[in-house]
């Protein structure tokens, strides 16, 4: 038999022949059955605060408590256990986070240098024979030392006398503590963990004339922490927290996700320090390896502005270039104010996906953009893509150096022509935005510009239906 197949047979026999997992006899074990409530606060940056309240029977004085069903990505240095009913005299001595989980391979590794029982079955008679051996190595296969020989790849099963204390079937926080009085205690364990995250997703639908939209916001929750949180009080914090960045540990194996969409339920928001806190108005269960969605907000007939934007670059104001682009793409943007019925709340950062119905009434995807955290009464601006029927030709029609030597005091004067073309059956207005370098002066232009910023000139150019408009201007820049 091939050594790999033999190793698999030996390991598979480990669980079949060993006794069920049991905690050490001196431990008090707390499981999810003791849980009275759990609260989860999830932050944007793959971070969550878990508060797990349980009722546990403890003895007087020294106790060793094994708190099971904690997150596999717990940050143990943040764990804090409190006795909420009888805090006087209750104190912690030591805590250990056992995340080395029980598997056939790890069980074998823990028994290197120790004795196990090898069970063989006679294929003809079915009779079993047992022989004691010492595990010498598990590197690239199992090496066993019997009383009279050493074997590798021996056929059969391996039976273990027990499970080492530090090898757990589930992530467990083991706490040594002093408890002043025996009996049932109300305990609360709080800790920070990775593996829990949330994001905001928005779906918008434009109306026929692009003058308004309907907007629905969803919170998408993902639990890859290695634990479940049944009937949890859920809160979400939107904002950018400052966190101390430690050296990155070895990445854990990624777990598969099962998608589930929850019933829609509005979330209430409030200010928290310099962030915003969103609270789900009913308990919800975050199952292990699950993605679910809950409703965040909904607004209808939100007024929007649609704009076409052609943006230039500042490099061609200090050199001779000639043609600068043919059939250049003109960006399409929509914006709306975060105010009004259904809006007027802080919008968490996320992706807004925009749809529009075609002539047959089918909703078609027309673009998406990511927004940052947006306070109320602020403008939300989305780039949906580039226009198909609105294009531009840009060229430099004149360039001359008027002065300057060395590295400073250069003066350049250049002229430009931008031809905007519109193949749509209705007129459009295109915003032409040019970044002007240095100290600039507009010498001449075919229509007045607006100084949008100290280094930006803007023109609002009207282009007729199935026609074109030419914008020309001459500018002097000084460096």
């Amino acid at each position: 038999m091939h050594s790999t197949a033999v190793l698999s047979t030996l390991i598979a026999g480990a669980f079949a022949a060993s006794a069920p997992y049991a905690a050490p006899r001196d431990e008090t074990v707390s499981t999810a059955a003791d849980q009275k409530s759990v609260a989860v606060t999830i932050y944007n940056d793959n971070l969550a605060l878990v508060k797990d309240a349980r009722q546990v029977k403890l003895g007087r004085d020294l106790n060793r408590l094994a708190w099971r069903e904690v997150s596999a990505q717990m940050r143990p240095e943040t764990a804090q256990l409190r006795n909420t009913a009888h805090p006087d005299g209750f104190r912690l001595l030591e805590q250990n986070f056992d995340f080395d989980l029980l598997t056939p391979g790890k069980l074998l590794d823990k028994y290197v240098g120790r004795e196990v029982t090898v069970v063989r079955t006679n294929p003809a008679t079915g009779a079993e024979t047992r022989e004691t051996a010492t595990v010498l190595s598990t590197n690239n296969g199992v090496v066993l030392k019997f009383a009279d020989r050493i074997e590798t790849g021996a056929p059969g099963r391996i039976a273990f006398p027990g499970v080492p204390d530090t090898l757990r079937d589930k992530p467990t926080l083991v706490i040594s503590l002093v408890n002043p009085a025996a009996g049932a205690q109300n305990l609360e364990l709080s800790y920070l963990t990775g593996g829990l995250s949330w994001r905001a997703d928005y779906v918008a639908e434009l109306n026929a004339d692009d003058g308004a939209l309907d907007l629905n916001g969803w919170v998408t929750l993902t639990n890859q922490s290695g634990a479940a949180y049944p009937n949890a009080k859920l809160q979400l914090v939107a904002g950018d927290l400052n966190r101390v960045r430690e050296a990155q540990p070895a990445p854990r194996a990624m777990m598969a996700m099962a998608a589930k969409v929850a019933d829609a339920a509005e979330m209430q928001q409030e200010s928290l320090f310099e962030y915003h806190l969103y609270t789900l108005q009913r308990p919800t269960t975050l199952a292990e390896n699950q993605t679910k969605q809950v409703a965040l907000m909904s607004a209808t007939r939100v007024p929007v502005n649609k704009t076409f934007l052609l943006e230039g670059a500042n490099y061609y104001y200090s050199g001779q270039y000639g043609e600068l682009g043919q059939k250049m793409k003109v960006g399409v943007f929509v914006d709306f104010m975060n105010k009004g019925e259904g809006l007027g709340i802080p919008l968490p950062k996320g992706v807004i996906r925009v749809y529009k119905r075609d002539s047959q009434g089918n909703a078609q995807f027309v673009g998406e953009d990511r927004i940052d955290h947006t306070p109320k009464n602020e403008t939300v601006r989305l780039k949906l893509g580039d226009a198909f029927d609105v294009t531009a030709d840009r060229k430099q029609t004149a360039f001359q150096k008027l002065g300057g030597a060395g590295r400073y005091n250069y003066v350049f004067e250049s002229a430009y022509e931008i031809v905007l073309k519109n193949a749509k059956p209705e007129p459009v207005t295109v915003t032409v935005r040019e970044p002007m370098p240095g100290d600039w002066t507009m010498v001449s232009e075919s229509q007045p510009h607006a100084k949008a910023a100290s280094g930006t000139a803007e023109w609002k150019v009207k282009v007729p239906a199935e026609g074109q408009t030419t914008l020309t201007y001459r500018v002097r820049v000084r460096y």
Side-chain angles (χ1 to χ4, degrees), residues 29-63:
V29 178
S30 175
T31 67
D34 302 326
Q35 197 171 77
K36 298 302 179 184
S37 67
V38 60
V40 181
T41 302
I42 308 178
Y43 301 85
N44 282 124
D45 195 16
N46 190 33
L47 180 72
L49 172 65
V50 177
K51 291 187 176 182
D52 186 352
R54 302 183 184 183
Q55 190 173 76
V56 184
K57 288 184 178 180
L58 295 178
R60 184 179 177 183
D61 296 330
L62 184 63
N63 287 262

Side-chain angles (χ1 to χ4, degrees), residues 172-209:
T172 304
L173 186 67
V174 182
I175 306 166
S176 297
L177 57 89
V178 173
N179 181 55
Q185 308 294 322
N186 294 325
L187 305 181
E188 182 187 77
L189 176 67
S190 62
Y191 57 89
L192 294 175
T193 179
L196 282 161
S197 60
W198 75 279
R199 70 178 189 271
D201 290 286
Y202 304 89
V203 176
E205 183 174 315
L206 284 167
N207 65 0
D209 63 359

Side-chain angles (χ1 to χ4, degrees), residues 49-364:
L49 172 65
V50 177
K51 291 187 176 182
D52 186 352
R54 302 183 184 183
Q55 190 173 76
V56 184
K57 288 184 178 180
L58 295 178
R60 184 179 177 183
D61 296 330
L62 184 63
N63 287 262
R64 181 177 166 88
L65 174 61
W67 195 289
R68 288 163 56 83
E69 280 100 8
V70 296
S71 167
Q73 297 190 44
M74 169 197 281
R75 293 173 54 181
E77 71 276 10
T78 68
Q80 181 181 11
L81 181 67
R82 297 189 305 125
N83 189 325
T84 57
H86 304 96
D88 295 340
F90 184 86
R91 56 193 177 92
L92 308 182
L93 302 177
E94 181 181 297
Q95 65 184 30
N96 300 286
F97 181 39
D98 293 341
F99 55 85
D100 201 8
L101 300 186
L102 179 62
T103 64
K106 287 185 177 179
L107 186 58
L108 268 173
D109 291 340
K110 296 293 183 182
Y111 269 84
V112 171
R114 300 172 62 182
E115 288 188 344
V116 296
T117 300
V118 177
V119 183
R120 292 186 175 92
T121 302
N122 188 311
T125 65
E128 288 188 348
T129 59
R130 294 173 175 263
E131 194 173 5
T132 300
T134 300
V135 181
L136 296 182
S137 174
T138 59
N139 295 324
N140 298 320
V142 182
V143 180
L144 299 173
K145 179 182 179 182
F146 294 87
D148 58 347
R149 67 196 184 280
I150 294 177
E151 287 192 20
T152 62
R157 308 193 315 271
I158 296 179
F160 300 86
V163 178
D165 291 352
T166 57
L167 201 58
R168 307 273 176 172
D169 63 334
K170 293 184 177 180
T172 304
L173 186 67
V174 182
I175 306 166
S176 297
L177 57 89
V178 173
N179 181 55
Q185 308 294 322
N186 294 325
L187 305 181
E188 182 187 77
L189 176 67
S190 62
Y191 57 89
L192 294 175
T193 179
L196 282 161
S197 60
W198 75 279
R199 70 178 189 271
D201 290 286
Y202 304 89
V203 176
E205 183 174 315
L206 284 167
N207 65 0
D209 63 359
D210 300 335
L213 57 76
D214 296 338
L215 181 66
N216 291 284
W218 293 86
V219 169
T220 302
L221 307 163
T222 302
N223 178 16
Q224 293 180 307
S225 67
Y229 308 93
N231 298 314
K233 178 184 178 183
L234 179 65
Q235 294 180 296
L236 311 173
V237 175
D240 300 314
L241 282 73
N242 185 51
R243 295 175 59 192
V244 176
R245 301 294 177 182
E246 306 289 348
Q248 294 297 316
R252 296 179 184 270
M254 292 299 291
M255 293 175 281
M257 294 187 296
K260 178 182 177 182
V261 177
D263 293 334
E266 291 288 339
M267 304 191 77
Q268 283 192 352
Q269 75 84 30
E270 61 182 286
S271 295
L272 174 69
F273 190 56
E274 296 304 316
Y275 316 115
H276 282 274
L277 181 69
Y278 299 82
T279 302
L280 185 64
Q281 296 305 293
R282 59 173 176 81
T284 188
T285 295
L286 295 175
E288 186 177 352
N289 297 331
Q290 182 187 66
T291 294
K292 68 161 49 181
Q293 290 183 302
V294 293
L296 174 66
M297 53 73 61
S298 179
T300 58
R301 296 184 295 277
V302 180
V304 300
N305 294 313
K306 179 180 176 182
T307 59
F308 296 92
L309 176 64
L310 177 69
E311 290 195 275
N314 59 15
Y315 70 89
Y316 47 72
Y317 289 96
S318 58
Q320 190 167 355
Y321 289 92
E323 292 290 342
L324 293 171
Q326 297 288 322
K327 295 183 180 178
M328 302 177 70
K329 299 293 185 180
V330 176
V332 183
F333 295 79
V334 296
D335 60 75
F336 60 90
M337 292 292 292
N338 182 16
K339 66 178 183 180
E341 185 177 353
L343 285 169
I345 65 169
L347 297 178
K349 65 182 177 182
V351 175
I352 298 183
R353 295 171 177 88
V354 183
Y355 297 81
K356 184 175 179 178
R357 294 190 181 276
D358 60 22
S359 59
Q360 298 179 355
N362 300 315
Q364 304 291 349

Side-chain angles (χ1 to χ4, degrees), residues 400-452:
Q400 57 181 326
K401 178 180 177 182
L402 301 181
R407 298 176 58 189
Y408 305 103
N409 299 321
Y410 281 103
V411 180
F412 302 105
E413 187 171 298
S414 52
Y416 301 88
E417 178 185 276
I418 300 175
V419 180
L420 298 167
K421 301 176 182 179
N422 175 25
K424 298 167 72 69
E426 69 272 357
V428 299
T429 298
V430 178
T431 300
V432 177
R433 181 176 297 157
E434 288 289 326
M436 300 291 181
D439 182 9
W440 60 278
T441 303
M442 193 67 64
V443 178
S444 63
E445 55 192 332
S446 59
Q447 71 176 67
H449 75 279
K451 195 171 185 178

Side-chain angles (χ1 to χ4, degrees), residues 448-461:
H449 75 279
K451 195 171 185 178
S454 62
T456 305
E458 273 191 5
W459 292 265
K460 303 288 187 182
V461 182

